[in-house]
Amino acid sequence: MRVLGIETSCDETGVAVYDSDRGLLAHALYSQVAVHAEYGGVVPELASRDHVRKLLPLISQVLTEQALTPADIDGVAYTAGPGLIGALMVGASVGRSLAYAWDVPAIGVHHMEGHLLAPMLEATPPEFPFVALLVSGGHTQLIAVQGIGHYEILGESVDDAAGEAFDKAAKMLDLDYPGGPEIAKLAECGNPQRFKFPRPMTDRPGLDFSFSGLKTYTLNTIAEHRGDDVLPDDQTMADIAWAFQEAVVDTLAIKCRRALEQTGLKTLIIAGGVSANSRLREKLSASLAKVGGKVFYARHEFCTDNGAMIAYAGCRRLMAGQREGLSISALPRWSMDTLPPLPEL
């Protein structure tokens, strides 16, 4: 089965074609980072407008790359949620309309299920069951995964997601958007011994996360070391960036190890934009090696939002017989544990 995948949940327009026999055939991504950078974050209306401008040209580009025509497409998958409602409606409207015009089935895909399954696009994918850490600008979740749709949420953030915390801390440090890569770059020059930030909610049982207090601690540390309405010196800024990043990745690593011990599983997959952070990958590998655990990642280009993950997830659900009706729906909030489980193919 050959499926066109469309991703428009936030500020990236992603399109891909996935073939159940041959794997990923083509993918393209347009990032709106430059559009939103001057505002320090995503502006929903601007995101929607840019999806309208870029989506059809990207679909045409991906099909042309593989010399495909609409007759070669067997189904269309689009992100139906969660995400920004306007952005979701662009992809859902285009995806459902193309499926109707091409007389093929359509399926709305859960954005985070797409991220969870992104490592399956690799040559050596993980095998079920495993624990998944989904960590991005909008979500931080630990999920026990027995199969596609067989999800048990073990823990999640009670306030800000890790990626959101990175963005807000970067704004405090007067860094560009998106904040995660900027903090990671600045932290390379930091002194690991100077500051020790708290590891939130690691001193108590459970697998939930909280990053709002860490943001406040970061803001107070900056205030303590600044002059008259000016930021601290460059070295202090780098030291704070190191301490903040280390606190986040330590917290994630501690909770992941705890999740494996709690479930008795030995495999962790990590997906979402923050999973590209090299310090997080280093910490997770070292931490899980102590308990015989293995870590699988999506390749860097599929850590952030992309059409390939939506095409793959949609293909699996279409092959299992799932279909959408003619109505177009988008869900800005949508819990993964409501998704129907798929039988093993």
Side-chain angles (χ1 to χ4, degrees):
M1 187 175 206
R2 193 175 294 128
V3 176
L4 174 72
I6 296 171
E7 157 61 24
T8 62
S9 66
C10 191
D11 62 338
E12 270 108 12
T13 313
V15 177
V17 176
Y18 180 84
D19 189 293
S20 57
D21 294 324
R22 298 169 54 197
L24 184 63
L25 301 183
H27 68 95
L29 182 72
Y30 171 76
S31 175
Q32 301 177 5
V33 166
V35 175
H36 303 285
E38 64 178 295
Y39 302 101
V42 178
V43 181
E45 178 62 24
L46 296 182
S48 302
R49 292 178 183 179
D50 230 29
H51 288 311
V52 171
R53 284 191 289 265
K54 298 296 183 180
L55 184 52
L56 288 178
L58 279 182
I59 292 172
S60 178
Q61 174 187 328
V62 166
L63 295 179
T64 301
E65 283 180 11
Q66 291 294 312
L68 297 173
T69 68
D72 298 310
I73 300 299
D74 302 310
V76 177
Y78 56 86
T79 302
L84 302 176
I85 185 61
L88 290 169
M89 285 301 296
V90 175
S93 299
V94 171
R96 192 63 196 82
S97 298
L98 289 178
Y100 180 79
W102 297 345
D103 195 24
V104 297
I107 186 75
V109 173
H110 193 290
H111 177 73
M112 297 311 294
E113 181 173 68
H115 275 305
L116 187 151
L117 297 176
M120 298 298 182
L121 294 164
E122 302 306 308
T124 307
E127 296 181 358
F128 298 111
F130 52 74
V131 171
L133 171 65
L134 303 182
V135 56
S136 65
H139 298 81
T140 302
Q141 294 180 317
L142 278 166
I143 301 172
V145 181
Q146 299 297 322
I148 297 178
H150 297 265
Y151 307 133
E152 177 190 358
I153 297 177
L154 302 173
E156 57 191 338
S157 180
V158 299
D159 41 56
D160 292 347
E164 183 182 2
F166 266 109
D167 286 340
K168 290 181 177 177
K171 197 167 186 178
M172 297 174 197
L173 293 166
D174 200 28
L175 300 176
D176 291 336
Y177 173 85
E182 295 297 321
I183 284 185
K185 183 178 178 181
L186 181 59
E188 292 175 0
C189 303
N191 176 4
Q193 308 303 321
R194 185 171 180 189
F195 296 113
K196 178 72 172 181
F197 281 20
R199 275 59 174 161
M201 296 182 71
T202 58
D203 58 349
R204 67 189 75 174
L207 296 171
D208 285 335
F209 302 89
S210 172
F211 296 105
S212 62
L214 182 59
K215 289 188 311 177
T216 302
Y217 194 95
T218 303
L219 183 63
N220 291 338
T221 303
I222 293 171
E224 289 171 7
H225 292 83
R226 68 188 307 161
D228 296 332
D229 295 323
V230 297
L231 288 168
D233 61 84
D234 291 346
Q235 185 58 55
T236 298
M237 297 272 279
D239 297 342
I240 292 172
W242 168 273
F244 174 83
Q245 176 178 256
E246 201 73 358
V248 173
V249 301
D250 265 352
T251 299
L252 294 172
I254 290 167
K255 296 284 185 168
C256 286
R257 180 171 172 174
R258 188 179 295 175
L260 291 186
E261 293 171 343
Q262 179 176 306
T263 59
L265 298 174
K266 294 295 185 182
T267 301
L268 175 79
I269 72 107
I270 174 172
V274 180
S275 70
N277 183 285
S278 59
R279 184 60 177 163
L280 176 59
R281 294 189 174 206
E282 179 185 337
K283 282 274 185 175
L284 280 174
S285 296
S287 176
L288 299 189
K290 297 176 182 177
V291 294
K294 297 182 295 183
V295 188
F296 289 82
Y297 308 93
R299 71 189 80 164
H300 274 77
E301 61 188 318
F302 296 149
C303 289
T304 55
D305 297 349
N306 63 88
M309 67 184 192
I310 302 303
Y312 176 82
C315 183
R316 292 298 303 268
R317 289 196 171 273
L318 286 169
M319 290 176 68
Q322 281 191 232
R323 303 287 189 272
E324 298 287 358
L326 291 177
S327 62
I328 297 170
S329 63
L331 302 170
R333 296 184 182 276
W334 186 7
S335 177
M336 278 188 66
D337 55 12
T338 64
L339 295 176
L342 296 191
E344 288 301 314
L345 297 178

